[in-house]
Short mmCIF file of all heavy atoms in Angstrom, two decimals:
data_model
loop_
_atom_site.label_atom_id
_atom_site.label_comp_id
_atom_site.label_asym_id
_atom_site.label_seq_id
_atom_site.Cartn_x
_atom_site.Cartn_y
_atom_site.Cartn_z
N ALA L 48 0.76 17.70 4.89
CA ALA L 48 2.02 18.38 5.19
C ALA L 48 3.25 17.78 4.50
O ALA L 48 4.36 18.30 4.66
CB ALA L 48 2.23 18.39 6.70
N ALA L 49 3.08 16.71 3.73
CA ALA L 49 4.27 16.12 3.08
C ALA L 49 4.92 17.15 2.15
O ALA L 49 4.22 17.99 1.56
CB ALA L 49 3.86 14.90 2.27
N ASP L 50 6.24 17.12 2.06
CA ASP L 50 6.99 18.05 1.20
C ASP L 50 7.47 17.29 -0.05
O ASP L 50 7.24 16.10 -0.20
CB ASP L 50 8.16 18.66 1.98
CG ASP L 50 8.63 19.99 1.38
OD1 ASP L 50 8.20 20.36 0.27
OD2 ASP L 50 9.44 20.68 2.04
N ARG L 51 8.17 18.00 -0.92
CA ARG L 51 8.61 17.40 -2.19
C ARG L 51 9.60 16.25 -1.97
O ARG L 51 9.54 15.23 -2.63
CB ARG L 51 9.26 18.48 -3.06
CG ARG L 51 9.47 18.05 -4.49
CD ARG L 51 10.33 19.03 -5.23
NE ARG L 51 11.70 19.05 -4.66
CZ ARG L 51 12.71 19.77 -5.11
NH1 ARG L 51 12.50 20.57 -6.14
NH2 ARG L 51 13.89 19.73 -4.55
N ASP L 52 10.53 16.46 -1.02
CA ASP L 52 11.61 15.47 -0.79
C ASP L 52 11.40 14.69 0.50
O ASP L 52 10.83 15.22 1.46
CB ASP L 52 12.97 16.18 -0.70
CG ASP L 52 13.27 16.95 -1.97
OD1 ASP L 52 12.75 16.58 -3.04
OD2 ASP L 52 14.08 17.91 -1.91
N PRO L 53 11.88 13.44 0.54
CA PRO L 53 11.69 12.61 1.75
C PRO L 53 12.76 12.85 2.82
O PRO L 53 13.35 11.92 3.36
CB PRO L 53 11.76 11.17 1.21
CG PRO L 53 12.63 11.27 0.02
CD PRO L 53 12.47 12.64 -0.56
N GLY L 54 13.09 14.12 3.14
CA GLY L 54 14.14 14.45 4.10
C GLY L 54 13.67 14.41 5.54
O GLY L 54 14.37 13.91 6.41
N TYR L 55 12.49 14.89 5.80
CA TYR L 55 11.93 14.88 7.15
C TYR L 55 11.21 13.56 7.42
O TYR L 55 11.31 13.01 8.50
CB TYR L 55 10.96 16.07 7.29
CG TYR L 55 10.10 16.02 8.54
CD1 TYR L 55 10.64 16.40 9.76
CD2 TYR L 55 8.80 15.59 8.47
CE1 TYR L 55 9.86 16.34 10.92
CE2 TYR L 55 8.02 15.53 9.61
CZ TYR L 55 8.54 15.92 10.83
OH TYR L 55 7.77 15.85 11.96
N SER L 56 10.52 13.08 6.41
CA SER L 56 9.70 11.87 6.53
C SER L 56 9.77 11.12 5.20
O SER L 56 10.10 11.69 4.17
CB SER L 56 8.26 12.32 6.80
OG SER L 56 7.32 11.37 6.29
N TYR L 57 9.44 9.81 5.22
CA TYR L 57 9.42 9.09 3.94
C TYR L 57 8.30 9.57 3.03
O TYR L 57 8.33 9.36 1.83
CB TYR L 57 9.24 7.58 4.19
CG TYR L 57 7.91 7.19 4.75
CD1 TYR L 57 6.81 6.99 3.91
CD2 TYR L 57 7.71 7.06 6.13
CE1 TYR L 57 5.55 6.66 4.43
CE2 TYR L 57 6.50 6.73 6.64
CZ TYR L 57 5.42 6.53 5.80
OH TYR L 57 4.17 6.22 6.31
N GLU L 58 7.31 10.24 3.61
CA GLU L 58 6.21 10.74 2.77
C GLU L 58 6.65 11.97 1.96
O GLU L 58 7.36 12.82 2.45
CB GLU L 58 4.99 11.10 3.61
CG GLU L 58 4.27 9.91 4.19
CD GLU L 58 2.92 10.29 4.78
OE1 GLU L 58 1.93 10.38 4.02
OE2 GLU L 58 2.87 10.53 6.01
N THR L 59 6.18 12.04 0.75
CA THR L 59 6.44 13.20 -0.12
C THR L 59 5.10 13.60 -0.74
O THR L 59 4.10 12.87 -0.64
CB THR L 59 7.42 12.85 -1.25
OG1 THR L 59 6.78 11.89 -2.12
CG2 THR L 59 8.73 12.29 -0.73
N THR L 60 5.09 14.74 -1.43
CA THR L 60 3.85 15.11 -2.14
C THR L 60 3.52 14.03 -3.18
O THR L 60 2.36 13.76 -3.44
CB THR L 60 4.03 16.48 -2.84
OG1 THR L 60 5.33 16.57 -3.41
CG2 THR L 60 3.83 17.62 -1.85
N GLY L 61 4.56 13.40 -3.72
CA GLY L 61 4.33 12.34 -4.71
C GLY L 61 3.67 11.10 -4.10
O GLY L 61 2.69 10.57 -4.63
N THR L 62 4.20 10.64 -2.94
CA THR L 62 3.61 9.43 -2.32
C THR L 62 2.21 9.74 -1.80
O THR L 62 1.30 8.93 -1.88
CB THR L 62 4.48 8.88 -1.16
OG1 THR L 62 4.46 9.78 -0.04
CG2 THR L 62 5.92 8.63 -1.61
N ALA L 63 2.04 10.94 -1.22
CA ALA L 63 0.74 11.29 -0.66
C ALA L 63 -0.32 11.39 -1.76
O ALA L 63 -1.47 10.98 -1.58
CB ALA L 63 0.83 12.59 0.13
N TRP L 64 0.09 11.94 -2.90
CA TRP L 64 -0.84 12.03 -4.03
C TRP L 64 -1.28 10.62 -4.45
O TRP L 64 -2.47 10.35 -4.67
CB TRP L 64 -0.12 12.73 -5.21
CG TRP L 64 -1.01 13.02 -6.37
CD1 TRP L 64 -1.39 12.14 -7.36
CD2 TRP L 64 -1.68 14.26 -6.65
NE1 TRP L 64 -2.22 12.77 -8.23
CE2 TRP L 64 -2.41 14.05 -7.84
CE3 TRP L 64 -1.71 15.50 -6.01
CZ2 TRP L 64 -3.18 15.08 -8.41
CZ3 TRP L 64 -2.46 16.51 -6.59
CH2 TRP L 64 -3.19 16.30 -7.78
N HIS L 65 -0.31 9.74 -4.55
CA HIS L 65 -0.56 8.33 -4.93
C HIS L 65 -1.49 7.64 -3.92
O HIS L 65 -2.52 7.05 -4.29
CB HIS L 65 0.78 7.59 -5.02
CG HIS L 65 0.68 6.13 -5.11
ND1 HIS L 65 0.07 5.48 -6.18
CD2 HIS L 65 1.11 5.14 -4.29
CE1 HIS L 65 0.14 4.16 -5.99
NE2 HIS L 65 0.76 3.93 -4.86
N ILE L 66 -1.15 7.76 -2.63
CA ILE L 66 -1.95 7.06 -1.59
C ILE L 66 -3.36 7.66 -1.50
O ILE L 66 -4.35 6.92 -1.38
CB ILE L 66 -1.22 7.14 -0.23
CG1 ILE L 66 0.09 6.35 -0.27
CG2 ILE L 66 -2.12 6.68 0.91
CD1 ILE L 66 -0.06 4.84 -0.41
N LEU L 67 -3.44 9.00 -1.60
CA LEU L 67 -4.77 9.62 -1.55
C LEU L 67 -5.61 9.20 -2.74
O LEU L 67 -6.74 8.72 -2.59
CB LEU L 67 -4.64 11.14 -1.49
CG LEU L 67 -4.34 11.75 -0.11
CD1 LEU L 67 -3.74 13.15 -0.24
CD2 LEU L 67 -5.59 11.79 0.74
N SER L 68 -5.05 9.34 -3.93
CA SER L 68 -5.91 9.10 -5.11
C SER L 68 -6.18 7.63 -5.38
O SER L 68 -7.29 7.29 -5.82
CB SER L 68 -5.40 9.81 -6.36
OG SER L 68 -4.03 9.97 -6.35
N GLU L 69 -5.21 6.75 -5.10
CA GLU L 69 -5.42 5.34 -5.44
C GLU L 69 -6.08 4.55 -4.31
O GLU L 69 -6.68 3.49 -4.57
CB GLU L 69 -4.06 4.66 -5.77
CG GLU L 69 -3.30 5.32 -6.90
CD GLU L 69 -3.99 5.23 -8.25
OE1 GLU L 69 -4.68 4.23 -8.50
OE2 GLU L 69 -3.88 6.20 -9.01
N PHE L 70 -5.93 4.98 -3.06
CA PHE L 70 -6.41 4.15 -1.95
C PHE L 70 -7.37 4.85 -0.99
O PHE L 70 -8.42 4.32 -0.70
CB PHE L 70 -5.19 3.61 -1.16
CG PHE L 70 -4.27 2.79 -2.00
CD1 PHE L 70 -3.07 3.34 -2.48
CD2 PHE L 70 -4.59 1.50 -2.38
CE1 PHE L 70 -2.21 2.59 -3.29
CE2 PHE L 70 -3.73 0.75 -3.18
CZ PHE L 70 -2.55 1.29 -3.65
#
Side-chain angles (χ1 to χ4, degrees):
D50 203 349
R51 193 190 65 177
D52 299 336
Y55 168 79
S56 150
Y57 67 84
E58 288 191 84
T59 65
T60 40
T62 69
W64 187 278
H65 168 62
I66 293 293
L67 279 160
S68 29
E69 304 295 326
F70 301 102

